[in-house]
Amino acid sequence: MIRPLSAALVGLLLLLRPALAQNEPFRVVNGSAQPATALHVVRSGQADWGPNLLGRGPLPPGRAFSLRPPEAAGCHFDFRLVLQDGQEAVRRDADVCAERSISVAPPAGRD
C-alpha cells in the first residue's frame, strides 16, 4: 500500500513542478558580443513587445538581468534585446520553468 501511495505522490509533485516554477525568478543573459540597450520580455505570442526593462542602463555582453514573472503568467515567453548598433536579437517561446537562464543572441555570424 505504501508503494502505490509513494508513486502517486511523486507523480503529483511532477505535475505541480511547472506550476510552482511559474513564479520563480529567472535570468536573461545577453549572449551577444556587444551591450544591449533594450530588453523586452512578453508572454509568448503577444503582438506588442512592451516596455524596455533596462531602465538602469545597458546590459553588458555575458551579463544577466533577473526577472520574476507575475503570478499565473505561465512559463513561455518571447525575448528581444536591442543591441548597441541597433541590431535585434530575438528568442521566442522560451520555457522559463524548464530553463532558468535564457541566453538571447543574434543568429550566428551577425554579431
Side-chain angles (χ1 to χ4, degrees):
M1 183 71 174
I2 293 176
R3 188 170 278 160
L5 181 59
S6 296
L9 182 58
V10 168
L12 179 61
L13 289 175
L14 288 174
L15 289 174
L16 289 176
R17 190 178 134 257
L20 295 173
Q22 287 179 6
N23 198 30
E24 291 298 315
F26 63 90
R27 300 167 6 119
V28 181
V29 179
N30 178 357
S32 78
Q34 58 182 300
T37 58
L39 168 63
H40 304 273
V41 180
V42 295
R43 286 189 359 215
S44 289
Q46 298 293 313
D48 181 19
W49 280 110
N52 176 9
L53 300 177
L54 297 180
R56 293 186 179 176
L59 182 63
R63 298 292 303 266
F65 186 88
S66 293
L67 291 166
R68 181 182 296 271
E71 200 167 317
C75 294
H76 294 267
F77 291 87
D78 295 340
F79 298 87
R80 175 180 173 233
L81 285 177
V82 178
L83 304 176
Q84 195 168 40
D85 68 358
Q87 181 179 192
E88 293 182 3
V90 175
R91 182 162 172 195
R92 297 200 181 270
D93 200 31
D95 184 347
V96 301
C97 294
E99 186 179 354
R100 305 313 292 177
S101 185
I102 307 295
S103 182
V104 182
R110 292 196 51 201
D111 195 18

